[in-house]
Amino acid sequence: GRTHVRPNVASAATIERVRAASPDLVVSWFWTTKLPEAILGLAPSVGVHPSLLPRHRGPDPCFWAIDAGDPVTGVTAHRLGAEYDTGAVLARRELPIDPAWNGWELARALDRPSLALLRDVVRAYAAGRPPVPIAQDERAATAPEPTHEDLAIAWSHPAASIERRVRAAAPWPGAWTEIGDRLLTLVRVRPTSDFPKALEPAEAAVREDGIAVVRAGDRALELLEGRGDDEAPLGARELADVVRASRGTPKEKDEA
């Protein structure tokens, strides 16, 4: 069988071992450890990031691509630099985003294009025709990591914006809200114009068909799938029960 080794890349022994191998190319793919300059200086180094750099740098590009409503994302082969995702671009491959995908489904859809692009770039280096590196435009860079507050649902926002955030964070870690005294993670919601018109933003009700709806800034959102604070899955019926028990008032994320 194969042995998987995760060395201390900063140790003198590891650096010397790589130097002794006289590498023609250093390749990083789904490797979440930053390589020291002592290794990056030994040979050209390449990696692949699941976004169209410099847009959506950082650890969660699939979340931000969906949350921003981007119609297209992709994968970028780039040189490795001292900071994550900052090296010059070598090649890109685009992928349309299916508006039904959640964050995990988008990440999965990018796996094969990512590996295929890496193979193309490595093949080009092996043939002695490496791609021409093109420096990233720092003005176009985005690199935030979603925070706990980013994942809190602001019911005053438009329904489409809330739906994208829920989908972007699904299935994990999920977007969250408080309804009554319950902390809920929502993983599937659907914008709707079928809601009691007396509802104010952040007020909830259960329709005659048994579906819970929460009024947003414009329309409302049906609550279809979620998890409780014990991480147990909740379907539409269970979410409706939570709304009934709460008397229909989710808490806004900016409330004390």
Side-chain angles (χ1 to χ4, degrees):
R2 296 180 178 178
T3 300
H4 295 270
V5 179
R6 187 181 181 90
N8 177 0
V9 294
S11 73
T14 298
I15 294 169
E16 183 53 39
R17 186 176 178 185
V18 176
R19 181 182 291 112
S22 300
D24 297 312
L25 189 67
V26 174
V27 176
S28 173
W29 191 71
F30 275 63
W31 174 259
T32 56
T33 300
K34 189 180 295 184
L35 296 176
E37 292 185 18
I39 287 180
L40 297 181
L42 296 175
S45 53
V46 302
V48 178
H49 182 73
S51 78
L52 298 175
L53 290 175
R55 186 165 178 78
H56 305 317
R57 287 179 184 169
D60 207 342
C62 293
F63 172 90
W64 290 114
I66 291 174
D67 187 72
D70 292 354
V72 173
T73 187
V75 291
T76 303
H78 61 95
R79 295 290 297 269
L80 301 181
E83 300 299 328
Y84 285 123
D85 313 326
T86 59
V89 170
L90 299 169
R92 290 189 180 96
R93 187 163 295 175
E94 293 188 349
L95 178 79
I97 299 177
D98 187 314
W101 282 342
N102 62 27
W104 181 80
E105 289 165 331
L106 175 56
R108 186 176 63 173
L110 290 171
D111 274 355
R112 288 185 182 274
S114 175
L115 185 55
L117 185 64
L118 182 65
R119 285 173 170 161
D120 288 347
V121 169
V122 170
R123 191 177 295 116
Y125 272 97
R129 297 188 299 273
V132 176
I134 300 173
Q136 294 186 39
D137 181 356
E138 291 298 318
R139 296 169 298 178
T142 55
E145 181 173 5
T147 66
H148 183 66
E149 284 303 302
D150 287 328
L151 299 177
I153 297 173
W155 294 106
S156 58
H157 289 186
S161 173
I162 295 172
E163 188 275 338
R164 287 198 306 269
R165 180 142 301 191
V166 169
R167 187 159 42 87
W172 299 93
W176 62 274
T177 191
E178 291 180 83
I179 297 182
D181 59 356
R182 295 286 300 275
L183 180 65
L184 299 179
T185 300
L186 298 178
V187 296
R188 190 162 70 90
V189 298
R190 181 168 54 210
T192 180
S193 297
D194 181 8
F195 62 91
K197 297 305 184 279
L199 291 181
E200 297 290 337
E203 290 184 344
V206 178
R207 292 191 316 220
E208 291 185 2
D209 61 0
I211 298 295
V213 293
V214 181
R215 176 71 191 272
D218 49 6
R219 294 181 291 162
L221 289 139
E222 299 174 348
L223 308 187
L224 302 178
E225 292 180 34
R227 295 191 297 273
D229 49 15
D230 58 356
E231 300 298 346
L234 301 173
R237 179 176 298 178
E238 290 85 4
L239 290 167
D241 288 342
V242 172
V243 169
R244 288 190 187 97
S246 75
R247 299 183 181 179
T249 309
K251 292 181 182 177
E252 274 289 83
K253 72 173 185 177
D254 54 354
E255 286 185 5

